[in-house]
Structure formats: C-alpha cells, structure tokens
Amino acid sequence: LIGISRDITSRKLADLHRDQLQQELQQSQKMEAVGQLAGGIAHDFNNLLTIITGHSGLLLSLPEISPDVQESAAEISDAANRAAALTRQLLAFSRQALTQPEVVDVNAVVSDTSKLLRRLIGEDITLDTALEAPKAAVRADPTQLNQILMNLALNARDAMPTGGTLRIETGNVDLD
C-alpha cells in the first residue's frame, strides 16, 4: 500500500474566501437594485406631490373660499410637505440625492419627527422628549438627521419588546 497526501488547506481557504466575496457582491447588487427602485418611486411620487402642493397653494391663495375649505387646503398642503420629506429620505436612501448640510434647529427636527416616531414605536412604548429651551443648532442635512432619529427609535423599539420609555433629549455642549 502506497499513500500520498497533499495539504490543500490554502486552496480550501481561497475557495471559501472567493465564495464569501461572491455572496457579498450579490448582496451589494441587490441593495443597489432596491436603491434604484426606491429612487424611481420617489421621483414619481415627488411629481405627484408637486401637483398636490401646487393646487393646495392655489386654493389657499383664493380670498373667497370659506374658512373650512381653507383649513382643509392647509391640511392637504401640510400632508404634502410631510410626504415630500419622506420622499427626500427615500432619495437619500437610494443615494440619488446629495446631502445638503445646513444649520438646523435639532429641537424643531425632533418635534416634527416625534409625531412619526410615536406611530413607528407602537403603543407599548412611551416617547418622552426633553428639548433644551434655547435653539440647539447644528450643521447637518435635515433629512439625514430625521433618518437617524427614526433608525434610533426603531432600534430602541426592537430592544424593548415588552414596552418601555424612549427618551430623546437635546442640549448644547461644547466639544474641544
């Protein structure tokens, strides 16, 4: 009986590494396709929102409409503006929108986002906000800041399956 052996460990590791890279590439391609789909939907949705915003603006500019109709038109306009903000988030997700940093009041962003966060986190979790009285200004892209808050809230929700309290607090600090 004659036996021959050969160490093929390095070949097996190379094959494993190649398979892993191939899976990562496929996942990346899937995410790119999802991003392109989200971007396309966001653009189409934005076109519809432009019509809604334009017509509600026309209604609001008419002096002869009743206060009830004016109130309804204002609600339509506000809803369209909130939907436009969601559209910007979709575009940012799909990386088809450039970030546009500007000086924003974090308190205002948290206040605006808190309505949506309450719906996202569910009834078992209480949302508590403690916003510092003076403006908490930062230079950031408001859409990305909004997205960060939503991601943190969703992570907190997942970490509290039996309920709890999510507290968002703002404050001014000096960093060196």
Side-chain angles (χ1 to χ4, degrees):
L1 176 68
I2 298 176
I4 300 174
S5 69
R6 180 178 285 163
D7 185 4
I8 60 169
T9 305
S10 62
R11 187 182 308 162
K12 288 203 174 243
L13 288 175
D15 288 347
L16 180 65
H17 185 65
R18 187 182 66 242
D19 290 344
Q20 198 174 21
L21 286 175
Q22 192 170 15
Q23 286 176 350
E24 289 175 11
L25 175 63
Q26 288 174 344
Q27 182 65 25
S28 175
Q29 289 171 337
K30 286 178 190 176
M31 289 303 294
E32 184 179 340
V34 168
Q36 287 177 346
L37 177 63
I41 291 170
H43 279 294
D44 291 345
F45 192 62
N46 208 29
N47 291 339
L48 296 171
L49 288 172
T50 301
I51 295 168
I52 294 168
T53 304
H55 281 84
S56 62
L58 285 174
L59 280 173
L60 288 170
S61 69
L62 297 174
E64 66 270 6
I65 62 171
S66 71
D68 289 342
V69 174
Q70 258 188 343
E71 186 178 327
S72 293
E75 287 292 324
I76 291 168
S77 180
D78 289 345
N81 288 333
R82 288 192 306 272
L86 290 173
T87 301
R88 284 191 297 276
Q89 289 175 2
L90 270 177
L91 288 170
F93 168 74
S94 69
R95 292 182 177 85
Q96 293 185 14
L98 297 174
T99 59
Q100 298 175 343
E102 58 187 67
V103 176
V104 294
D105 180 9
V106 177
N107 292 340
V109 173
V110 170
S111 293
D112 291 344
T113 307
S114 65
K115 297 167 192 135
L116 177 61
L117 294 180
R118 287 188 201 323
R119 289 193 301 259
L120 283 175
I121 60 176
E123 297 173 359
D124 295 341
I125 299 174
T126 304
L127 179 62
D128 179 27
T129 57
L131 309 179
E132 189 173 279
K135 280 191 170 188
V138 296
R139 182 166 173 75
D141 183 304
T143 302
Q144 287 185 333
L145 190 54
N146 197 337
Q147 188 68 47
I148 290 167
L149 287 169
M150 285 196 291
N151 287 344
L152 289 171
L154 290 174
N155 287 341
R157 178 197 67 190
D158 294 344
M160 296 185 280
T162 59
T165 300
L166 170 60
R167 181 176 173 88
I168 299 175
E169 187 172 341
T170 64
N172 291 322
V173 295
D174 291 323
L175 300 175
D176 55 11

